[in-house]
Amino acid sequence: MQLPPPPVVQAQYTPEKIVKVNTETGWNKEESNKNQQKVAVDFTAAKSRKVYLPAGTLWYDFWTNEKVNGGQEITRKTTIDMIPLYVKAGAILPVGPKVQFATEKKWDNLEIKVYPGKNGSFILYEDEFDNYNYEKGAYTEIEFLWNDASKKITISSRKGEYNGMLSIRKFTIVLPSGIEKEIIYKGTKIEEKF
């Protein structure tokens, strides 16, 4: 089965025109501008896209948290600002603050999205953001483990240190079902059941 290309490489809102290029002379701008028509484009119109979800696991729609079985092709409605995005069961995704650059805001309150259905793990890596001290060991790692059978998240003790690191922080653990728990983390191991 041949899969369709993802929406990020195939235009959905504007018409694509193939421009032939001569290897000796290159792109002929005058020729490509001939017979060009102005096309009214409605960027608010909903479109759709076929997506194949690999077999052997559950998948979650990132936008709606809808659970979908793998091993099938589905059609997903899309908009100009929302491509099909599916997360594999067992994934742990950290979501930080909306920033333009790394040091714009503190990263002391991270949302940690956990997608049940399989065991999962993730290591949160942090350093000073703006130098090469990580090459000398100035960084931290915090491991997150999801045990699907017991519905338990384990946040391991912090490994490493660096100047200016956050010694206390808040993690908001969020499940697709809407269950949320805030955890105050002080660098030592914590386990929380859901």
Side-chain angles (χ1 to χ4, degrees):
M1 168 170 68
Q2 185 176 359
L3 301 177
V8 292
V9 295
Q10 186 178 50
Q12 285 193 306
Y13 288 90
T14 57
E16 288 185 313
K17 180 182 177 188
I18 296 174
V19 177
K20 294 184 180 180
V21 177
N22 181 321
T23 55
E24 294 176 14
T25 61
W27 173 46
N28 184 338
K29 189 174 181 180
E30 288 180 22
E31 185 65 32
S32 67
N33 285 336
K34 282 184 186 175
N35 301 323
Q36 243 184 6
Q37 300 173 23
K38 298 272 184 194
V39 178
V41 179
D42 180 6
F43 289 108
T44 62
K47 302 286 183 168
S48 65
R49 192 80 190 131
K50 288 186 179 184
V51 177
Y52 177 75
L53 299 172
T57 190
L58 288 173
W59 296 88
Y60 290 87
D61 184 307
F62 179 81
W63 310 107
T64 66
N65 289 323
E66 176 189 2
K67 208 181 326 184
V68 183
N69 289 319
Q72 63 176 323
E73 184 177 83
I74 60 171
T75 300
R76 172 67 163 91
K77 289 187 178 178
T78 62
T79 60
I80 190 76
D81 62 345
M82 187 170 47
I83 65 171
L85 180 59
Y86 288 85
V87 183
K88 189 176 180 179
I92 300 173
L93 298 178
V95 179
K98 293 180 182 180
V99 295
Q100 296 295 317
F101 53 93
T103 57
E104 179 183 357
K105 294 178 186 173
K106 282 179 139 183
W107 290 61
D108 58 345
N109 183 6
L110 293 181
E111 182 177 305
I112 308 293
K113 293 185 173 201
V114 177
Y115 294 88
K118 285 194 175 179
N119 292 342
S121 66
F122 168 76
I123 295 177
L124 177 64
Y125 168 92
E126 294 181 299
D127 61 29
E128 295 173 303
F129 291 116
D130 60 358
N131 59 49
Y132 293 97
N133 288 341
Y134 64 90
E135 292 176 346
K136 300 172 192 166
Y139 62 88
T140 64
E141 292 180 345
I142 302 169
E143 185 174 29
F144 292 76
L145 301 166
W146 172 255
N147 183 313
D148 199 61
S150 63
K151 304 294 183 226
K152 180 174 69 177
I153 185 112
T154 301
I155 305 173
S156 300
S157 294
R158 179 187 294 118
K159 294 178 185 172
E161 63 182 358
Y162 62 89
N163 288 332
M165 73 177 200
L166 296 167
S167 57
I168 300 173
R169 61 182 324 140
K170 181 169 69 170
F171 294 122
T172 304
I173 312 299
V174 180
L175 273 57
S177 63
I179 295 172
E180 288 187 20
K181 286 191 180 181
E182 287 186 0
I183 296 173
I184 302 301
Y185 179 77
K186 297 180 181 179
T188 57
K189 182 177 175 179
I190 295 177
E191 293 182 339
E192 190 71 42
K193 201 164 171 59
F194 285 80

